[in-house]
Amino acid sequence: MGISLFERTFTMSLFFIVFILITLTNSCYCSRKLTSLYEPPPMSLSYHNGPLLEGDVHVSILWYGQFTPPQQSIVSDFLLSLNPTHSSSSSPQPSVSKWWNLVQTYMKRAGKKETDIVLSNQTSDKNYSLGKILKKSHITELANKVINNSRPGGLTIVLTDKEVAVEGFCMSNCGFHGSNSKQNSAFIWVGNSVTQCPGQCAWPFHQPIYGPQTTPLGAPNGDVGVDGMVVNIAGLLAGTATNPFGNGYYAGSMEVGSVCTGVYGKGAYPGYAGELLVDSSSGASYNAVGVNRRKYLLPALFDPLTSQCLTIV
């Protein structure tokens, strides 16, 4: 799904339009649809016997445009935090790796190895080699450049900066995922929405464009655009790992990372993120702690054991 898998949205009523990830084509494009109404979780996500991203998954990041070192570290630290070797019983809880453990549940149910995210390499395209107005095919082209230079079975994350407009961005999606079947590799794209559509793709760190204008939550790393990107990356990453080629876990248009869009803590409902932890020094909201004690807000994932949205706080 895009996010192929995370895209957010709200309605004029109490039922905001929220992100859902959908399978768009045979190449496994999925996206969070801004025009889709909130739907309650289905009874189950069925496994369709296809390959999953199991074992050591080497992840490459392509930074397209201008990203500062602090912005890059927010994302890279999140990916590093998924690996339980970076966590210990003495680390602050709840941990990012605890959130990722639910993805491992799906792997075990399919008889697969656990998925260990390994941050492999990072490259930058600061000069906008394909311009600042991109089609989805351009994202595929950028991802394939990295995939062709990487080991098979890996994952590429293409991140575009706030100046880049991507086909469908804000109007229909906040990100998507796809695949390169020849290389047995997958990719994710997410854009920085801070100047284009923060009310759609960076909620709950910005007021929604529709509905009651409640006070937005404080971004855990002080960057509305990049903290919003992490939310979308997280949801798409869960969906990509469990449905990389369109024949893994899904139910209709739903994937592991899109069923519970808009849910972050207990008691959540459309337009309300739920009960969360609050940083006493900054007032920012979060629900997971990663390496370097960095805080994140991560979406709830669908629990196959209880058929409910599982939050870690």
Side-chain angles (χ1 to χ4, degrees):
M1 301 190 76
I3 221 182
S4 290
L5 299 158
F6 265 88
E7 304 170 3
R8 281 179 211 175
T9 173
F10 307 88
T11 73
M12 294 294 292
S13 69
L14 292 178
F15 292 93
F16 293 133
I17 299 177
V18 297
F19 299 151
I20 64 171
L21 308 177
I22 63 171
T23 302
L24 298 177
T25 68
N26 291 334
S27 62
C28 189
Y29 272 114
C30 306
S31 12
R32 287 184 130 180
K33 298 295 284 184
L34 298 175
T35 55
S36 298
L37 295 175
Y38 173 81
E39 299 178 24
M43 292 304 296
S44 65
L45 293 176
S46 300
Y47 177 47
H48 296 78
N49 301 314
L52 310 180
L53 296 187
E54 60 177 314
D56 289 343
V57 177
H58 291 262
V59 176
S60 300
I61 303 177
L62 173 59
W63 303 94
Y64 190 83
Q66 304 295 319
F67 288 92
T68 66
Q71 289 178 322
Q72 292 178 333
S73 66
I74 292 172
V75 175
S76 59
D77 280 356
F78 165 66
L79 295 173
L80 290 172
S81 301
L82 296 168
N83 194 322
T85 60
H86 293 288
S87 303
S88 67
S89 58
S90 61
S91 299
Q93 298 295 323
S95 67
V96 172
S97 61
K98 178 181 178 182
W99 174 84
W100 187 245
N101 278 342
L102 186 55
V103 173
Q104 312 294 20
T105 301
Y106 284 90
M107 296 297 165
K108 293 176 182 177
R109 288 169 68 89
K112 307 295 185 181
K113 299 177 182 177
E114 290 192 350
T115 303
D116 292 325
I117 299 299
V118 180
L119 184 55
S120 181
N121 58 64
Q122 303 183 52
T123 58
S124 296
D125 187 341
K126 296 181 179 181
N127 296 320
Y128 307 98
S129 63
L130 298 181
K132 293 185 179 182
I133 301 178
L134 305 180
K135 297 181 179 180
K136 285 188 175 181
S137 60
H138 289 139
I139 299 297
T140 303
E141 181 179 341
L142 291 170
N144 285 340
K145 286 182 180 179
V146 178
I147 290 173
N148 290 335
N149 294 322
S150 304
R151 65 186 71 193
L155 172 66
T156 296
I157 301 178
V158 178
L159 302 177
T160 52
D161 75 7
K162 62 184 181 180
E163 302 295 329
V164 178
V166 177
E167 179 184 1
F169 188 34
C170 297
M171 296 181 65
S172 62
N173 68 75
C174 298
F176 59 80
H177 74 79
S179 63
N180 182 323
S181 58
K182 293 182 179 179
Q183 294 290 332
N184 192 34
S185 299
F187 67 86
I188 289 171
W189 163 75
V190 173
N192 187 332
S193 66
V194 68
T195 60
Q196 298 182 54
C197 53
Q200 293 166 298
C201 295
W203 184 85
F205 307 128
H206 190 280
Q207 289 180 313
I209 59 172
Y210 301 121
Q213 298 299 292
T214 55
T215 302
L217 302 180
N221 294 285
D223 191 314
V224 170
V226 176
D227 278 311
M229 292 179 80
V230 170
V231 172
N232 293 310
I233 292 169
L236 286 176
L237 187 60
T240 305
T242 54
N243 188 32
F245 307 110
N247 52 3
Y249 282 98
Y250 66 87
S253 64
M254 296 292 191
E255 292 182 335
V256 173
S258 62
V259 173
C260 302
T261 296
V263 178
Y264 299 92
K266 294 179 180 178
Y269 54 82
Y272 172 60
E275 299 175 10
L276 303 170
L277 301 173
V278 177
D279 188 303
S280 59
S281 60
S282 67
S285 297
Y286 69 99
N287 61 6
V289 182
V291 299
N292 301 318
R293 295 181 177 269
R294 191 183 290 278
K295 298 177 175 64
Y296 296 99
L297 186 66
L298 303 179
L301 298 178
F302 185 72
D303 186 352
L305 301 179
T306 63
S307 295
Q308 299 291 325
C309 292
L310 182 66
T311 62
I312 58 176
V313 295

